[in-house]
């Protein structure tokens, strides 16, 4: 069965600095999608970035980028120029068929 | 589009009462998902529908939980009778299979349920 592991329950970063959140997954499939979602205190789940497994190029969305290592089954999220509004829970997710499997989340604190 | 709409946003009820949570997916989406989020268990998929048909309800915790999707624009999750351990945030999400974006799920704002 597929699993998603986020080994960092909490991370802190200084405003304007860069932080990387880790995610590993386990699967026997070759074609799949990976996602990072952000959940601020409002509890709304917001899509941050998406990566197709068949693409070698790492996805980027403005200040957010991923380091996708398919062989290592690793999918980390890098946030550059961190802002106070980035403070939230971040969830890594793996999509199999139409079901998502979520990690347990990493709480990101941004220090002014 | 207004996004996924859920109601109510907050619900406080007493143990034993029936609770009904509502969801309106994004227009044109053909998949609808119900999740439950708690501190202890994280984000759990309860059930999902495709074209209004329940596909996988293996995550529904017990018979007290039921979900329906009478049409493409409306779904309900019902808990009867409710228990304190059902207290959680319940999310509805929808996606479009032909979207070409990995069937990204878009989440509603959630319903925070507290059962006393």
């Amino acid at each position: 069965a597929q699993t998603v592991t986020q080994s960092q329950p909490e991370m802190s970063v200084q405003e304007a600095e860069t932080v990387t959140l880790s995610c590993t997954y386990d699967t026997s499939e070759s074609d799949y999608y990976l996602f990072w979602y952000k959940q601020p205190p409002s509890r709304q789940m917001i899509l941050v970035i998406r990566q197709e497994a068949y693409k070698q190029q790492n996805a980027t969305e403005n200040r957010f980028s991923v380091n996708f290592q398919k062989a290592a089954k690793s999918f980390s999220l890098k946030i550059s120029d961190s802002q106070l509004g980035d403070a939230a829970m971040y969830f890594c997710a793996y999509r199999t068929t139409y079901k998502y499997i979520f990690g347990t989340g990493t709480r990101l604190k941004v220090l002014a | 589009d207004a996004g996924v709409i859920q109601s109510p946003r907050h619900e406080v009820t007493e143990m034993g009462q029936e609770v009904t949570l509502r969801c309106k997916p994004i227009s044109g989406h053909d998949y609808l998902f119900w999740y439950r989020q708690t501190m202890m268990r994280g984000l759990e998929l309860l059930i999902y529908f495709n074209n209004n048909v329940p596909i996988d309800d293996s995550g529904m915790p017990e018979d007290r939980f039921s979900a329906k999707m009478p049409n493409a624009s409306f779904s309900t999750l019902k808990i009867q009778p409710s228990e304190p351990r059902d207290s959680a945030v319940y999310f509805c999400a929808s996606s479009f299979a032909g979207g070409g974006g990995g069937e990204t799920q878009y989440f509603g704002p959630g319903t925070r349920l507290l059962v006393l």
Side-chain angles (χ1 to χ4, degrees):
Chain A
Q2 294 89 356
T3 58
V4 176
T5 302
Q6 293 179 251
S7 59
Q8 305 155 316
E10 189 170 293
M11 294 280 287
S12 296
V13 62
Q14 287 291 139
E15 197 175 6
E17 296 296 309
T18 296
V19 65
T20 299
L21 308 183
S22 300
C23 174
T24 59
Y25 58 94
D26 187 25
T27 184
S28 58
E29 298 178 338
S30 59
D31 189 19
Y32 48 88
Y33 291 84
L34 297 162
F35 304 82
W36 278 97
Y37 280 86
K38 169 186 177 181
Q39 187 178 42
S42 67
R43 293 276 190 172
Q44 176 79 53
M45 292 286 283
I46 303 166
L47 176 68
V48 175
I49 201 165
R50 172 182 54 233
Q51 175 77 45
E52 293 90 335
Y54 64 87
K55 288 186 176 180
Q56 293 185 342
Q57 186 174 8
N58 289 325
T60 62
E61 287 288 342
N62 301 314
R63 297 183 295 106
F64 298 88
S65 62
V66 299
N67 183 4
F68 174 48
Q69 302 289 329
K70 190 172 184 178
K73 296 180 182 175
S74 171
F75 181 60
S76 60
L77 174 68
K78 186 172 80 171
I79 306 173
S80 303
D81 186 25
S82 297
Q83 301 174 0
L84 294 177
D86 295 333
M89 282 290 287
Y90 287 81
F91 292 93
C92 177
Y94 170 99
R95 185 185 74 84
T96 171
T97 58
Y98 293 103
K99 293 172 63 171
Y100 277 33
I101 300 169
F102 285 87
T104 52
T106 296
R107 181 174 301 281
L108 178 65
K109 294 184 177 180
V110 181
L111 308 175
Chain B
D1 200 308
V4 177
I5 299 172
Q6 291 187 247
S7 66
R9 295 291 306 274
H10 302 274
E11 177 80 26
V12 180
T13 190
E14 292 187 347
M15 182 174 62
Q17 297 297 306
E18 177 179 295
V19 175
T20 299
L21 310 181
R22 297 173 176 80
C23 175
K24 176 179 170 55
I26 293 172
S27 177
H29 281 192
D30 51 0
Y31 279 83
L32 183 139
F33 306 80
W34 282 102
Y35 289 90
R36 178 173 68 176
Q37 186 178 36
T38 61
M39 287 294 293
M40 291 297 294
R41 299 176 69 90
L43 201 59
E44 303 174 276
L45 176 65
L46 300 177
I47 185 172
Y48 76 94
F49 296 81
N50 175 221
N51 292 322
N52 314 336
V53 177
I55 302 300
D56 185 347
D57 64 354
S58 59
M60 295 286 262
E62 48 197 274
D63 292 344
R64 298 185 297 107
F65 286 70
S66 62
K68 294 182 180 180
M69 192 166 185
N71 57 62
S73 59
F74 184 66
S75 177
T76 60
L77 177 67
K78 186 176 293 186
I79 308 173
Q80 166 63 21
S82 58
E83 297 182 2
R85 59 189 169 129
D86 301 330
S87 298
V89 180
Y90 290 82
F91 287 101
C92 176
S94 70
S95 67
F96 173 52
E103 291 77 42
T104 299
Q105 293 187 12
Y106 295 90
F107 284 75
T111 295
R112 186 171 299 198
L113 173 65
L114 177 62
V115 183
L116 302 174

